Each structure stands twice: as structure tokens, then as C-alpha cells.
Amino acid sequence: MFTRTKTRTVHFDAPFTLTGLEGVHPPGDYQVQDDEEQITGISWLAYRRVATTIEVIAGKKKSLVHIDPSDLDAALDTDRGLSGQKSLNTTH
């Protein structure tokens, strides 16, 4: 089965928390990776997301932590509401 990883940057204007991450994380830009696998048996090319991770830094250590993408979307929506702006969400 063919898999691919899409990387994007998300921005938080305020401190945030996510299920799966310990504690409160500072505002800033965070790299998010979505792993997708190709759906076979159909006549067009399609993928489904199978995992989402966010890169967090604790001291000198960088970690990729598995998160629920709907929790990330909710945290970004909350952040937009607090800042009154649209958050940066780009794909690389």
C-alpha cells in the first residue's frame, strides 16, 4: 500500500493545550504531519488520513506526538476566537 506524508505549519497566537500533549504549550508556529494511505479498489486516486502528529520542543528535545486532528482543529478555532484573526495554516 502506498503512503505519503503531508507537512503543514499551524500558528497559535495564544498558549494552547491538546489531548495527548502534556501541559500548556506556548504560542508560535508548529509543524504538523498528516500520514495518508492510498485507497485501493476504486477507479480514481484517493487517500485517507491514518495519523496526525505535531512537533513539539521540550528543552533541547524535539518530539513528534500523535494527536487527534479534530482536537487540533478545535484548538485552532479557539485560538482564532481569542485573537480575533485567521490563523496561518499552510501546506508544504
Side-chain angles (χ1 to χ4, degrees):
M1 192 167 300
F2 181 73
T3 60
R4 68 181 183 186
T5 300
K6 295 173 86 176
T7 302
R8 57 190 165 119
T9 300
V10 296
H11 179 80
F12 287 94
D13 288 320
F16 69 98
T17 61
L18 284 174
T19 303
L21 295 180
E22 291 186 25
V24 177
H25 292 271
D29 293 333
Y30 290 83
Q31 295 294 313
V32 174
Q33 295 181 356
D34 294 303
D35 294 335
E36 301 174 331
E37 67 182 14
Q38 187 176 358
I39 300 171
T40 58
I42 56 177
S43 59
W44 62 90
L45 185 59
Y47 292 85
R48 71 173 146 247
R49 183 173 42 208
V50 294
T52 300
T53 57
I54 189 168
E55 184 180 275
V56 293
I57 299 172
K60 295 181 181 180
K61 182 181 176 185
K62 286 185 181 181
S63 299
L64 283 176
V65 179
H66 288 275
I67 58 170
D68 183 327
S70 61
D71 288 346
L72 176 61
D73 291 342
L76 288 167
D77 287 344
T78 299
D79 187 68
R80 281 186 213 118
L82 294 174
S83 67
Q85 301 180 56
K86 183 179 179 184
S87 293
L88 173 68
N89 188 354
T90 58
T91 302
H92 296 278

Coordinates of all heavy atoms in Angstrom, one line a residue:
M1 N 0.8 -1.2 0.0 CA 0.0 0.0 0.0 C 0.9 1.2 0.0 O 1.9 1.3 0.7 CB -0.9 0.0 1.2 CG -2.0 1.0 1.2 SD -3.3 0.8 2.4 CE -3.9 -0.9 2.0
F2 N 0.6 2.2 -0.8 CA 1.3 3.4 -0.9 C 0.9 4.4 0.1 O -0.3 4.6 0.4 CB 1.1 4.0 -2.3 CG 1.9 5.3 -2.6 CD1 3.2 5.3 -2.8 CD2 1.2 6.5 -2.5 CE1 4.0 6.4 -3.0 CE2 2.0 7.7 -2.7 CZ 3.3 7.6 -2.9
T3 N 1.9 5.0 0.8 CA 1.6 6.0 1.8 C 2.3 7.3 1.5 O 3.4 7.3 0.8 CB 2.0 5.6 3.3 OG1 3.3 5.3 3.3 CG2 1.2 4.4 3.7
R4 N 1.8 8.4 2.0 CA 2.5 9.7 1.8 C 2.3 10.5 3.1 O 1.4 10.3 3.9 CB 2.0 10.5 0.6 CG 0.5 10.9 0.8 CD 0.1 11.7 -0.4 NE -1.3 12.2 -0.2 CZ -2.0 12.8 -1.2 NH1 -1.5 12.9 -2.4 NH2 -3.2 13.2 -0.9
T5 N 3.2 11.5 3.3 CA 3.1 12.4 4.4 C 3.0 13.8 3.9 O 3.9 14.2 3.1 CB 4.4 12.2 5.3 OG1 4.4 10.9 5.8 CG2 4.3 13.2 6.5
K6 N 2.1 14.5 4.4 CA 1.9 15.9 4.1 C 2.3 16.8 5.3 O 1.8 16.4 6.4 CB 0.4 16.2 3.7 CG 0.1 15.5 2.4 CD -1.4 15.7 2.1 CE -1.7 16.9 1.3 NZ -3.1 17.1 0.9
T7 N 3.1 17.8 5.1 CA 3.5 18.6 6.2 C 2.9 20.0 6.1 O 2.9 20.5 5.0 CB 5.1 18.7 6.2 OG1 5.6 17.4 6.4 CG2 5.5 19.6 7.4
R8 N 2.5 20.6 7.2 CA 1.9 21.9 7.2 C 2.3 22.6 8.5 O 2.7 22.0 9.4 CB 0.4 21.9 7.1 CG -0.3 21.1 8.2 CD -1.8 20.9 7.9 NE -2.3 19.8 8.7 CZ -3.3 20.0 9.5 NH1 -3.9 21.2 9.7 NH2 -3.8 19.0 10.3
T9 N 2.2 23.9 8.4 CA 2.6 24.7 9.6 C 1.3 25.3 10.1 O 0.5 25.9 9.4 CB 3.5 25.9 9.2 OG1 4.7 25.3 8.7 CG2 3.9 26.7 10.4
V10 N 1.1 25.2 11.4 CA -0.1 25.9 12.1 C 0.5 26.9 13.0 O 1.6 26.8 13.6 CB -1.0 24.9 12.8 CG1 -1.6 23.9 11.8 CG2 -0.3 24.1 13.9
H11 N -0.3 27.9 13.3 CA 0.1 29.0 14.1 C -0.9 29.3 15.3 O -2.1 29.3 15.0 CB 0.3 30.3 13.3 CG 0.7 31.5 14.2 ND1 2.0 31.7 14.6 CD2 0.0 32.5 14.7 CE1 2.1 32.7 15.3 NE2 0.9 33.2 15.4
F12 N -0.3 29.4 16.5 CA -1.2 29.7 17.6 C -0.7 31.1 18.1 O 0.5 31.3 18.3 CB -1.0 28.7 18.7 CG -1.7 27.4 18.5 CD1 -1.0 26.3 17.9 CD2 -3.0 27.2 18.8 CE1 -1.6 25.1 17.6 CE2 -3.6 26.0 18.5 CZ -2.9 25.0 18.0
D13 N -1.7 32.0 18.3 CA -1.4 33.3 18.9 C -1.4 33.3 20.4 O -0.9 34.2 21.0 CB -2.4 34.3 18.4 CG -2.2 34.7 16.9 OD1 -1.0 34.8 16.5 OD2 -3.2 34.8 16.2
A14 N -2.0 32.3 21.0 CA -2.1 32.2 22.5 C -1.6 30.8 22.9 O -1.6 29.9 22.1 CB -3.6 32.4 22.9
P15 N -1.3 30.7 24.2 CA -0.9 29.3 24.7 C -2.1 28.4 24.5 O -3.3 28.7 24.4 CB -0.7 29.6 26.2 CG -0.4 31.0 26.3 CD -1.2 31.7 25.2
F16 N -1.8 27.1 24.3 CA -2.8 26.1 24.0 C -2.5 24.7 24.6 O -1.4 24.5 25.0 CB -2.9 25.9 22.4 CG -1.7 25.3 21.8 CD1 -1.8 23.9 21.5 CD2 -0.6 26.0 21.5 CE1 -0.7 23.3 20.9 CE2 0.5 25.4 20.9 CZ 0.5 24.1 20.6
T17 N -3.5 23.9 24.7 CA -3.4 22.5 25.1 C -4.0 21.6 24.1 O -4.9 22.1 23.3 CB -4.0 22.3 26.5 OG1 -5.4 22.6 26.3 CG2 -3.4 23.1 27.6
L18 N -3.6 20.4 24.0 CA -4.2 19.4 23.1 C -4.1 18.1 23.9 O -3.2 17.8 24.6 CB -3.3 19.2 21.8 CG -3.5 20.3 20.7 CD1 -2.4 20.0 19.6 CD2 -4.9 20.3 20.2
T19 N -5.2 17.3 23.6 CA -5.2 15.9 24.2 C -4.0 15.2 23.6 O -3.7 15.2 22.4 CB -6.5 15.2 23.8 OG1 -7.6 16.0 24.3 CG2 -6.5 13.8 24.4
G20 N -3.2 14.5 24.5 CA -2.0 13.8 24.0 C -0.7 14.6 24.3 O 0.3 14.0 24.3
L21 N -0.8 15.9 24.5 CA 0.3 16.7 24.8 C 0.3 17.1 26.3 O -0.8 17.4 26.8 CB 0.3 18.0 24.0 CG 0.5 18.0 22.5 CD1 0.5 19.4 21.9 CD2 1.8 17.2 22.2
E22 N 1.4 17.0 27.0 CA 1.5 17.4 28.4 C 1.6 18.9 28.6 O 2.4 19.5 27.9 CB 2.7 16.7 29.0 CG 2.5 15.2 29.2 CD 3.6 14.6 30.0 OE1 4.2 15.3 30.8 OE2 3.9 13.4 29.7
G23 N 0.8 19.4 29.4 CA 0.9 20.8 29.8 C 0.4 21.8 28.7 O -0.2 21.4 27.7
V24 N 0.7 23.0 29.0 CA 0.3 24.1 28.1 C 1.5 24.5 27.3 O 2.6 24.6 27.7 CB -0.1 25.4 29.0 CG1 -0.4 26.6 28.0 CG2 -1.3 25.0 29.8
H25 N 1.3 24.7 26.0 CA 2.3 25.0 25.0 C 2.3 26.4 24.6 O 1.2 27.0 24.5 CB 2.3 24.1 23.8 CG 2.6 22.7 24.2 ND1 3.9 22.2 24.2 CD2 1.8 21.7 24.7 CE1 3.9 20.9 24.6 NE2 2.6 20.6 24.9
P26 N 3.4 27.0 24.4 CA 3.5 28.5 24.1 C 3.0 28.8 22.7 O 3.0 27.9 21.8 CB 5.0 28.8 24.2 CG 5.7 27.6 24.0 CD 4.8 26.5 24.5
P27 N 2.6 30.0 22.5 CA 2.2 30.4 21.1 C 3.3 30.3 20.2 O 4.5 30.3 20.6 CB 1.8 31.9 21.3 CG 2.0 32.3 22.7 CD 2.5 31.1 23.4
G28 N 3.0 30.2 18.9 CA 4.0 30.1 17.8 C 3.6 29.2 16.7 O 2.5 28.8 16.6
D29 N 4.6 28.9 15.9 CA 4.4 28.1 14.7 C 4.8 26.6 15.1 O 5.8 26.4 15.7 CB 5.2 28.5 13.5 CG 4.8 29.8 13.0 OD1 3.6 30.2 13.1 OD2 5.7 30.5 12.4
Y30 N 4.0 25.7 14.6 CA 4.2 24.3 14.9 C 4.0 23.5 13.6 O 3.1 23.7 12.8 CB 3.2 23.7 15.9 CG 3.4 24.3 17.3 CD1 2.9 25.5 17.7 CD2 4.2 23.5 18.2 CE1 3.2 26.0 18.9 CE2 4.4 24.0 19.5 CZ 3.9 25.3 19.8 OH 4.2 25.8 21.1
Q31 N 4.9 22.5 13.4 CA 4.9 21.6 12.2 C 3.9 20.5 12.5 O 4.0 19.8 13.6 CB 6.2 21.1 11.9 CG 7.2 22.1 11.4 CD 6.9 22.8 10.1 OE1 6.5 22.1 9.2 NE2 6.9 24.1 10.1
V32 N 3.0 20.2 11.6 CA 2.0 19.1 11.7 C 2.2 18.2 10.5 O 2.3 18.7 9.4 CB 0.6 19.7 11.8 CG1 -0.4 18.5 11.8 CG2 0.4 20.5 13.0
Q33 N 2.2 16.9 10.8 CA 2.4 16.0 9.7 C 1.1 15.1 9.6 O 0.7 14.6 10.7 CB 3.6 15.1 9.8 CG 4.9 15.9 9.7 CD 6.1 15.0 9.9 OE1 6.0 13.8 10.2 NE2 7.3 15.6 9.7
D34 N 0.6 14.9 8.5 CA -0.6 14.0 8.2 C -0.1 12.9 7.4 O 0.4 13.1 6.2 CB -1.7 14.8 7.5 CG -2.3 15.9 8.4 OD1 -2.8 15.6 9.5 OD2 -2.3 17.0 7.9
D35 N -0.2 11.7 7.9 CA 0.2 10.5 7.1 C -1.1 10.0 6.5 O -2.1 9.8 7.1 CB 0.8 9.4 8.0 CG 2.1 9.7 8.6 OD1 2.8 10.6 8.0 OD2 2.4 9.2 9.7
E36 N -1.0 9.7 5.2 CA -2.2 9.2 4.4 C -1.8 8.0 3.7 O -0.7 7.8 3.2 CB -2.6 10.3 3.4 CG -3.0 11.6 4.1 CD -3.3 12.7 3.1 OE1 -2.7 12.7 2.0 OE2 -4.1 13.6 3.4
E37 N -2.8 7.1 3.5 CA -2.6 5.9 2.7 C -3.5 5.9 1.5 O -4.6 6.4 1.6 CB -2.7 4.6 3.5 CG -4.1 4.3 4.0 CD -4.1 3.1 4.9 OE1 -3.1 2.5 5.3 OE2 -5.3 2.6 5.1
Q38 N -3.0 5.3 0.4 CA -3.8 5.3 -0.8 C -5.0 4.3 -0.6 O -4.8 3.2 0.0 CB -3.0 4.9 -1.9 CG -3.7 5.0 -3.3 CD -2.7 4.6 -4.4 OE1 -1.5 4.4 -4.2 NE2 -3.2 4.6 -5.6
I39 N -6.1 4.7 -1.1 CA -7.3 3.8 -1.0 C -7.3 3.0 -2.3 O -7.2 3.6 -3.4 CB -8.6 4.6 -0.9 CG1 -8.6 5.5 0.4 CG2 -9.8 3.7 -1.0 CD1 -9.8 6.5 0.5
T40 N -7.3 1.7 -2.2 CA -7.2 0.9 -3.4 C -8.6 0.3 -3.7 O -9.5 0.4 -2.9 CB -6.3 -0.3 -3.2 OG1 -6.7 -1.1 -2.0 CG2 -4.9 0.1 -2.9
G41 N -8.8 -0.1 -4.9 CA -10.0 -0.7 -5.3 C -11.0 0.2 -5.9 O -12.2 -0.1 -6.1
I42 N -10.6 1.5 -6.1 CA -11.5 2.4 -6.8 C -10.9 2.9 -8.0 O -9.7 2.8 -8.2 CB -11.9 3.6 -5.8 CG1 -10.6 4.3 -5.3 CG2 -12.7 3.1 -4.6 CD1 -10.9 5.5 -4.4
S43 N -11.7 3.6 -8.9 CA -11.2 3.9 -10.2 C -10.5 5.3 -10.3 O -10.0 5.7 -11.3 CB -12.3 3.9 -11.2 OG -13.3 4.8 -10.8
W44 N -10.3 6.0 -9.1 CA -9.6 7.2 -9.1 C -8.6 7.2 -7.9 O -8.8 6.4 -7.0 CB -10.6 8.4 -9.0 CG -11.4 8.4 -7.7 CD1 -11.1 9.0 -6.5 CD2 -12.7 7.8 -7.5 NE1 -12.0 8.8 -5.6 CE2 -13.0 8.0 -6.2 CE3 -13.5 7.0 -8.3 CZ2 -14.2 7.5 -5.6 CZ3 -14.7 6.6 -7.8 CH2 -15.0 6.8 -6.4
L45 N -7.7 8.1 -8.0 CA -6.7 8.2 -6.9 C -7.2 8.9 -5.7 O -7.7 10.1 -5.8 CB -5.4 9.0 -7.5 CG -4.2 9.0 -6.5 CD1 -3.7 7.6 -6.2 CD2 -3.1 9.8 -7.2
A46 N -7.2 8.3 -4.6 CA -7.7 8.9 -3.3 C -6.9 8.4 -2.1 O -6.3 7.3 -2.2 CB -9.2 8.5 -3.1
Y47 N -6.8 9.2 -1.1 CA -6.1 8.9 0.1 C -7.0 9.1 1.3 O -7.9 9.9 1.3 CB -4.9 9.8 0.2 CG -3.8 9.6 -0.8 CD1 -3.9 10.2 -2.1 CD2 -2.7 8.7 -0.6 CE1 -3.0 9.9 -3.0 CE2 -1.8 8.5 -1.5 CZ -1.9 9.1 -2.8 OH -0.9 8.9 -3.7
R48 N -6.6 8.4 2.4 CA -7.3 8.6 3.7 C -6.2 8.9 4.7 O -5.2 8.3 4.7 CB -8.2 7.5 4.1 CG -7.5 6.2 4.5 CD -8.4 5.2 5.0 NE -7.9 3.9 4.7 CZ -8.4 3.0 3.8 NH1 -9.6 3.3 3.3 NH2 -7.9 1.9 3.5
R49 N -6.5 9.8 5.6 CA -5.6 10.1 6.7 C -5.6 9.0 7.7 O -6.6 8.5 8.2 CB -6.0 11.5 7.4 CG -5.0 11.9 8.4 CD -5.3 13.3 9.0 NE -6.7 13.5 9.2 CZ -7.3 14.7 9.1 NH1 -6.6 15.7 8.9 NH2 -8.6 14.8 9.4
V50 N -4.4 8.5 8.1 CA -4.3 7.5 9.0 C -3.6 7.9 10.3 O -3.7 7.2 11.3 CB -3.6 6.2 8.4 CG1 -4.4 5.6 7.3 CG2 -2.2 6.6 7.9
A51 N -2.9 9.0 10.3 CA -2.2 9.5 11.5 C -1.9 11.0 11.4 O -1.6 11.5 10.3 CB -0.9 8.8 11.8
T52 N -1.9 11.7 12.5 CA -1.6 13.1 12.6 C -0.6 13.3 13.7 O -0.9 12.8 14.8 CB -2.8 14.0 12.7 OG1 -3.7 13.8 11.6 CG2 -2.4 15.5 12.8
T53 N 0.5 14.0 13.5 CA 1.5 14.3 14.6 C 1.8 15.8 14.5 O 1.7 16.4 13.5 CB 2.8 13.5 14.4 OG1 3.3 13.7 13.1 CG2 2.5 12.0 14.5
I54 N 2.2 16.3 15.7 CA 2.7 17.6 15.9 C 4.1 17.6 16.5 O 4.3 16.8 17.3 CB 1.7 18.5 16.7 CG1 2.1 20.0 16.7 CG2 1.6 18.0 18.1 CD1 1.0 20.9 17.3
E55 N 4.9 18.5 16.0 CA 6.3 18.6 16.5 C 6.3 19.6 17.7 O 5.9 20.7 17.5 CB 7.2 19.0 15.4 CG 8.7 19.0 15.9 CD 9.6 19.5 14.8 OE1 10.0 18.6 13.9 OE2 9.9 20.7 14.7
V56 N 6.7 19.1 18.8 CA 6.8 20.0 20.0 C 8.3 19.9 20.5 O 9.0 18.9 20.3 CB 5.9 19.5 21.1 CG1 4.4 19.8 20.7 CG2 6.0 18.1 21.5
I57 N 8.7 21.0 21.1 CA 10.1 21.1 21.6 C 10.0 21.3 23.1 O 9.3 22.1 23.6 CB 10.8 22.3 21.0 CG1 10.9 22.1 19.5 CG2 12.2 22.5 21.6 CD1 11.4 23.3 18.8
A58 N 10.7 20.4 23.8 CA 10.8 20.4 25.3 C 12.2 20.5 25.7 O 13.0 19.5 25.5 CB 10.1 19.2 25.9
G59 N 12.7 21.7 26.0 CA 14.1 21.9 26.3 C 14.9 21.8 25.0 O 14.6 22.5 24.0
K60 N 15.8 20.9 24.9 CA 16.6 20.6 23.7 C 16.0 19.5 22.8 O 16.6 19.1 21.8 CB 18.0 20.4 24.0 CG 18.7 21.5 24.7 CD 20.2 21.2 25.0 CE 20.8 22.4 25.6 NZ 22.2 22.2 25.9
K61 N 15.0 18.9 23.3 CA 14.4 17.7 22.7 C 13.2 18.0 21.8 O 12.2 18.7 22.3 CB 14.0 16.7 23.7 CG 13.5 15.4 23.2 CD 13.1 14.4 24.3 CE 12.5 13.2 23.8 NZ 12.0 12.3 24.8
K62 N 13.2 17.6 20.5 CA 12.1 17.7 19.6 C 11.4 16.3 19.6 O 12.0 15.3 19.5 CB 12.5 18.0 18.2 CG 13.0 19.5 18.0 CD 13.2 19.7 16.5 CE 13.7 21.1 16.3 NZ 14.0 21.4 14.9
S63 N 10.1 16.4 19.6 CA 9.3 15.1 19.6 C 8.1 15.3 18.6 O 7.5 16.4 18.5 CB 8.7 14.8 21.0 OG 9.7 14.7 21.9
L64 N 7.8 14.2 18.0 CA 6.6 14.1 17.2 C 5.6 13.4 18.0 O 5.8 12.2 18.4 CB 6.8 13.4 15.9 CG 7.5 14.1 14.8 CD1 7.7 13.2 13.6 CD2 6.7 15.4 14.4
V65 N 4.4 14.0 18.3 CA 3.4 13.5 19.2 C 2.1 13.2 18.4 O 1.7 14.1 17.7 CB 3.1 14.4 20.4 CG1 2.1 13.8 21.3 CG2 4.4 14.7 21.2
H66 N 1.6 12.0 18.5 CA 0.3 11.7 17.8 C -0.8 12.5 18.5 O -0.9 12.5 19.7 CB 0.0 10.2 17.8 CG 0.9 9.4 16.9 ND1 0.7 9.2 15.6 CD2 2.1 8.8 17.2 CE1 1.6 8.5 15.1 NE2 2.5 8.2 16.0
I67 N -1.6 13.1 17.6 CA -2.8 13.9 18.1 C -4.0 13.5 17.3 O -3.9 13.0 16.2 CB -2.5 15.4 18.1 CG1 -2.2 15.8 16.6 CG2 -1.4 15.8 19.1 CD1 -2.1 17.3 16.4
D68 N -5.1 13.9 17.8 CA -6.4 13.8 17.1 C -6.6 15.0 16.2 O -6.6 16.1 16.7 CB -7.6 13.6 18.1 CG -8.9 13.4 17.4 OD1 -9.1 13.9 16.3 OD2 -9.7 12.7 18.0
P69 N -6.7 14.9 14.9 CA -6.8 16.1 14.0 C -8.0 16.9 14.4 O -8.0 18.2 14.2 CB -6.9 15.5 12.6 CG -7.2 14.1 12.8 CD -6.8 13.6 14.1
S70 N -9.1 16.4 14.9 CA -10.3 17.2 15.3 C -10.0 18.0 16.5 O -10.5 19.1 16.7 CB -11.5 16.3 15.5 OG -11.3 15.4 16.5
D71 N -9.1 17.5 17.4 CA -8.7 18.3 18.6 C -7.9 19.4 18.1 O -8.0 20.6 18.7 CB -7.9 17.4 19.6 CG -8.7 16.4 20.4 OD1 -10.0 16.6 20.3 OD2 -8.2 15.5 21.0
L72 N -7.0 19.2 17.2 CA -6.2 20.3 16.6 C -7.0 21.4 16.0 O -6.9 22.6 16.2 CB -5.2 19.8 15.6 CG -4.3 20.8 14.9 CD1 -3.4 21.6 15.9 CD2 -3.4 20.2 13.8
D73 N -8.0 21.0 15.2 CA -8.9 21.9 14.5 C -9.7 22.7 15.6 O -9.8 24.0 15.5 CB -9.9 21.2 13.6 CG -9.3 20.6 12.4 OD1 -8.1 21.0 12.0 OD2 -9.9 19.7 11.8
A74 N -10.1 22.1 16.7 CA -10.8 22.8 17.7 C -9.9 23.8 18.4 O -10.4 24.9 18.7 CB -11.4 21.8 18.7
A75 N -8.7 23.4 18.7 CA -7.7 24.3 19.4 C -7.4 25.5 18.5 O -7.3 26.6 19.0 CB -6.5 23.6 19.7
L76 N -7.3 25.3 17.2 CA -7.1 26.4 16.2 C -8.3 27.3 16.2 O -8.1 28.6 16.1 CB -6.7 25.9 14.8 CG -5.3 25.2 14.7 CD1 -5.2 24.5 13.4 CD2 -4.2 26.3 14.9
D77 N -9.5 26.8 16.2 CA -10.7 27.6 16.2 C -10.8 28.4 17.4 O -11.1 29.6 17.4 CB -11.9 26.7 16.1 CG -12.1 26.1 14.7 OD1 -11.5 26.6 13.7 OD2 -12.9 25.2 14.5
T78 N -10.4 27.8 18.6 CA -10.4 28.6 19.8 C -9.4 29.7 19.8 O -9.7 30.8 20.2 CB -10.1 27.6 21.0 OG1 -11.1 26.6 21.1 CG2 -10.1 28.4 22.3
D79 N -8.2 29.4 19.3 CA -7.2 30.4 19.2 C -7.6 31.6 18.3 O -7.4 32.7 18.6 CB -5.9 29.8 18.6 CG -4.7 30.7 18.6 OD1 -4.3 31.1 19.8 OD2 -4.3 31.1 17.6
R80 N -8.3 31.3 17.2 CA -8.8 32.3 16.3 C -9.8 33.2 17.0 O -9.8 34.4 16.8 CB -9.4 31.7 15.0 CG -8.4 31.3 14.0 CD -9.1 30.8 12.7 NE -8.4 29.7 12.2 CZ -8.8 28.5 12.0 NH1 -10.0 28.1 12.3 NH2 -7.9 27.6 11.5
G81 N -10.6 32.6 17.8 CA -11.6 33.3 18.5 C -11.0 34.2 19.6 O -11.5 35.3 19.8
L82 N -9.9 33.8 20.2 CA -9.2 34.6 21.2 C -8.5 35.7 20.6 O -8.4 36.8 21.1 CB -8.3 33.7 22.0 CG -8.9 32.6 22.9 CD1 -7.8 31.8 23.5 CD2 -9.7 33.3 24.0
S83 N -7.9 35.5 19.4 CA -7.1 36.5 18.8 C -7.9 37.4 17.8 O -7.4 38.5 17.5 CB -5.9 35.9 18.0 OG -6.4 35.2 16.9
G84 N -9.0 36.9 17.4 CA -9.8 37.7 16.5 C -9.3 37.7 15.1 O -9.6 38.6 14.3
Q85 N -8.4 36.8 14.8 CA -7.7 36.7 13.5 C -7.9 35.3 12.9 O -8.1 34.4 13.6 CB -6.2 37.1 13.6 CG -5.9 38.4 14.2 CD -4.4 38.6 14.2 OE1 -3.7 38.5 13.2 NE2 -3.9 38.8 15.4
K86 N -7.5 35.2 11.6 CA -7.4 33.9 11.0 C -6.0 33.4 11.2 O -5.0 34.1 11.0 CB -7.7 34.0 9.5 CG -7.7 32.7 8.8 CD -8.0 32.9 7.3 CE -8.0 31.5 6.7 NZ -8.2 31.6 5.3
S87 N -5.9 32.1 11.7 CA -4.6 31.5 12.0 C -4.0 31.1 10.7 O -4.7 30.7 9.7 CB -4.7 30.3 12.9 OG -5.1 30.7 14.2
L88 N -2.7 31.1 10.6 CA -1.9 30.6 9.5 C -2.0 29.1 9.4 O -1.8 28.4 10.4 CB -0.4 31.0 9.6 CG 0.5 30.4 8.6 CD1 0.2 31.0 7.2 CD2 2.0 30.7 9.0
N89 N -2.4 28.5 8.3 CA -2.5 27.1 8.1 C -2.1 26.8 6.7 O -2.9 26.9 5.8 CB -3.9 26.6 8.4 CG -3.9 25.1 8.4 OD1 -3.0 24.4 8.1 ND2 -5.1 24.6 8.7
T90 N -0.8 26.5 6.5 CA -0.3 26.3 5.1 C 0.2 24.9 4.9 O 0.6 24.2 5.9 CB 0.9 27.3 4.8 OG1 1.9 27.0 5.8 CG2 0.4 28.7 4.9
T91 N 0.2 24.4 3.7 CA 0.8 23.1 3.4 C 2.1 23.3 2.6 O 2.2 24.1 1.8 CB -0.3 22.4 2.5 OG1 -1.5 22.3 3.2 CG2 0.2 21.0 2.2
H92 N 3.0 22.5 3.0 CA 4.3 22.5 2.3 C 4.4 21.3 1.3 O 4.0 20.2 1.6 CB 5.5 22.4 3.3 CG 5.6 23.6 4.2 ND1 6.1 24.8 3.8 CD2 5.1 23.8 5.4 CE1 6.1 25.6 4.8 NE2 5.4 25.1 5.8

